[in-house]
Amino acid sequence: MSTDSSKQTEVQKLYNTYPFPPDPLSDELPPGYNWRWSWNAAYNFCVGEKPTRQNIRILDAGCGTGVSTEYLIYLNPLAEVVAIDISSNALSIAQKRCSRSGVLKNHQPSVSFKELPLEKADQIEGKFDLINSVGVLHHLPDPIIGIKSLAQKLAPGGLLHIFVYAQLGRWEIQLVQEAIALMQGKRKGDYQDGVAVGRQIFSSLPENNRLVKREKERWSLENHWDQSFADMYVHPQEVDYNITTLFELIDASGLEFLGFSNPQYWQLERLIGKSSQLMELAEKLSQRERYRLIELLDPSLTHYEFFLGHSSLSRVNWLDDEYLKSAIPEVHPCLHGWPSYGCLDYEYRPVDLLEGEYNFMQSCNGKTPVAELLKGITLEEVRSLQERQLIILASH
Ligand SMILES: C[S@@+](CC[C@H](N)C(=O)[O-])C[C@H]1O[C@@H](n2cnc3c(N)ncnc32)[C@H](O)[C@@H]1O
């Protein structure tokens, strides 16, 4: 039987052979943004206001080849960033990526890379305001040990951002993984051989085979890279979650669940909204049961992405007029194509701004309170800009 440390050695071997993600290095700054890696945008999403501090500490736990680390540095110019991983090859690419793109040039606080398993995060001094762990916990021999270790390093008022695999949308991946392992027999653990066997399976199967169709539909764009193919089909250690096991993991962290980062998927109305009878029945369910119902009715989800925080972190609401008037508004940091009436929002969705909304946003300077900017716009419309995350508000 393999022990936890031998499993970790296997995972390390996979990522030293196939560092992930395979995105090529570039001489340019990262294109666009991912709001989950912007402290202001993520905090605003979870808490409903701008955080009080910008000189924060960020931990990228399982940074791989540094795509996320580069964005974390870029989108949070005043943050100290520590990136850890168990693959020395991935870490060395991550370092090269960040130096080459120029993202470090205007970044005064320190950025460091360390070969360290996240289970040993206690070896790093101090706590972190934002911890990012994307695509990592499900590859640990014991994800509960991992999440507890990260939770211990979360500063009061901080956010832990996690991405783990979901069972239901990955059914075909599990089948292919098992098929490759069967064909490899004793060669299992030779990852290059696993990729070769897997590619042969896909090219031999009939074109109308369900696995082939699914691979073409969902994954072939990324899987032309051997690194992605290996990460998907020949992984030595993978746990896929469902809502029940996901919340067991979350509860073990001792932190509060602050929400999924894709709330649209978790709207039951989009699935059974046509039937008021079914909606009424669903109202009797707990929140977690409702989540389970949603994933059962729409089993397309391939991963869960969510935020956790300490229970002291409470959500701000802007219903009180006087409170709203005293807030300092600024344009959301992750808009694409701003300033323009037809920019894209933080999720790259098109926005159509009314003239009053546009003028208000143009006048937001991060210093003047809402009360002094109410020309051609009502408080209700300011609230709507905040709810749609086109502006963020500071209450301090
Ligand atoms: C699928 S990759 C994800 C990389 C990166 N987070 C991303 O999403 O682009 C998983 C990474 O986690 C790292 N990893 C696996 N187990 C780890 C552990 N116990 N501690 C730290 N990193 C680990 C692997 O070496 C690999 O680089």
Side-chain angles (χ1 to χ4, degrees):
M1 228 178 79
S2 63
T3 62
D4 280 5
S5 78
S6 72
K7 278 187 195 160
Q8 191 171 88
T9 308
E10 278 306 309
V11 174
Q12 190 175 37
K13 183 176 149 195
L14 171 78
Y15 287 112
N16 276 333
T17 313
Y18 290 115
F20 187 91
D23 304 34
L25 303 188
S26 157
D27 295 323
E28 309 278 324
L29 289 170
Y33 52 81
N34 175 333
W35 68 266
R36 297 158 184 83
W37 294 327
S38 155
W39 167 240
N40 282 345
Y43 193 91
N44 180 60
F45 178 86
C46 295
V47 184
E49 68 172 348
K50 187 181 173 186
T52 49
R53 283 187 316 113
Q54 300 297 312
N55 58 339
I56 55 159
R57 296 188 79 215
I58 299 179
L59 175 66
D60 196 6
C63 62
T65 63
V67 171
S68 50
T69 322
E70 188 188 27
Y71 273 101
L72 287 165
I73 298 166
Y74 177 58
L75 297 172
N76 305 288
L78 299 180
E80 176 194 337
V81 178
V82 179
I84 60 171
D85 203 286
I86 54 169
S87 158
S88 55
N89 288 352
L91 280 165
S92 106
I93 297 172
Q95 272 168 293
K96 274 193 206 123
R97 184 188 303 286
C98 295
S99 329
R100 251 184 75 172
S101 74
V103 83
L104 296 173
K105 273 194 195 120
N106 294 323
H107 194 89
Q108 297 305 320
S110 81
V111 173
S112 54
F113 295 85
K114 287 187 182 47
E115 190 176 329
L116 185 76
L118 63 79
E119 295 90 330
K120 294 194 178 154
D122 62 344
Q123 291 183 7
I124 312 169
E125 216 180 291
K127 302 230 172 187
F128 292 89
D129 304 284
L130 177 61
I131 300 180
N132 180 63
S133 196
V134 168
V136 187
L137 285 179
H138 49 230
H139 293 317
L140 265 49
D142 188 340
I144 289 195
I145 294 181
I147 203 167
K148 282 186 170 161
S149 162
L150 296 180
Q152 291 294 320
K153 296 305 285 180
L154 191 69
L159 300 177
L160 172 51
H161 174 234
I162 289 179
F163 167 120
V164 287
Y165 289 149
Q167 250 166 26
L168 290 167
R170 290 176 63 83
W171 61 267
E172 79 285 13
I173 295 171
Q174 292 165 26
L175 304 186
V176 177
Q177 284 172 349
E178 197 178 331
I180 295 175
L182 274 174
M183 301 294 266
Q184 273 197 289
K186 290 211 172 92
R187 297 198 313 277
K188 190 167 181 267
D190 176 340
Y191 301 115
Q192 276 154 329
D193 179 72
V195 169
V197 169
R199 294 230 183 261
Q200 239 178 320
I201 291 178
F202 276 113
S203 59
S204 309
L205 284 169
E207 259 185 43
N208 63 354
N209 172 278
R210 271 173 79 174
L211 299 174
V212 173
K213 287 211 290 207
R214 188 88 166 159
E215 161 71 18
K216 275 203 185 128
E217 241 171 61
R218 299 282 309 252
W219 311 114
S220 57
L221 258 186
E222 48 193 285
N223 280 351
H224 74 270
W225 276 315
D226 282 349
Q227 293 93 323
S228 303
F229 191 94
D231 183 57
M232 188 165 283
Y233 293 122
V234 299
H235 213 290
Q237 175 64 26
E238 175 178 321
V239 182
D240 294 343
Y241 289 90
N242 57 45
I243 278 294
T244 312
T245 54
L246 179 77
F247 276 98
E248 280 165 17
L249 177 75
I250 290 173
D251 290 344
S253 74
L255 298 173
E256 293 288 310
F257 177 70
L258 301 175
F260 289 111
S261 66
N262 57 339
Q264 299 80 4
Y265 172 87
W266 297 103
Q267 301 302 318
L268 192 55
E269 295 75 23
R270 77 186 171 86
L271 297 167
I272 55 165
K274 266 199 259 174
S275 162
S276 50
Q277 226 177 339
L278 287 180
M279 287 300 289
E280 256 170 55
L281 287 176
E283 259 170 42
K284 299 195 183 89
L285 301 177
S286 68
Q287 180 60 269
R288 291 182 187 191
E289 285 170 331
R290 251 197 308 276
Y291 286 150
R292 178 65 179 153
L293 182 64
I294 292 168
E295 71 171 6
L296 290 172
L297 297 179
D298 182 3
S300 60
L301 196 73
T302 55
H303 60 264
Y304 303 100
E305 205 177 7
F306 53 94
F307 291 95
L308 305 179
H310 292 288
S311 54
S312 51
L313 201 63
S314 58
R315 216 183 149 76
V316 174
N317 81 58
W318 297 100
L319 297 175
D320 182 273
D321 284 355
E322 292 314 308
Y323 191 54
L324 177 59
K325 280 194 208 163
S326 69
I328 311 286
E330 58 188 78
V331 172
H332 193 280
C334 300
L335 298 188
H336 202 72
W338 172 257
S340 131
Y341 282 91
C343 57
L344 302 179
D345 77 0
Y346 67 113
E347 288 282 21
Y348 289 96
R349 292 171 300 210
V351 184
D352 256 335
L353 291 171
L354 303 171
E355 193 174 349
E357 293 175 331
Y358 177 82
N359 291 338
F360 176 84
M361 284 172 68
Q362 277 280 33
S363 64
C364 290
N365 57 12
K367 290 183 199 134
T368 315
V370 169
E372 291 175 35
L373 302 173
L374 289 173
K375 290 169 202 98
I377 191 164
T378 63
L379 276 182
E380 215 36 65
E381 286 165 342
V382 174
R383 261 184 211 110
S384 153
L385 288 175
Q386 193 276 333
E387 277 157 20
R388 287 182 283 154
Q389 300 185 65
L390 297 170
I391 58 168
I392 59 177
L393 297 169
S395 62
H396 27 271

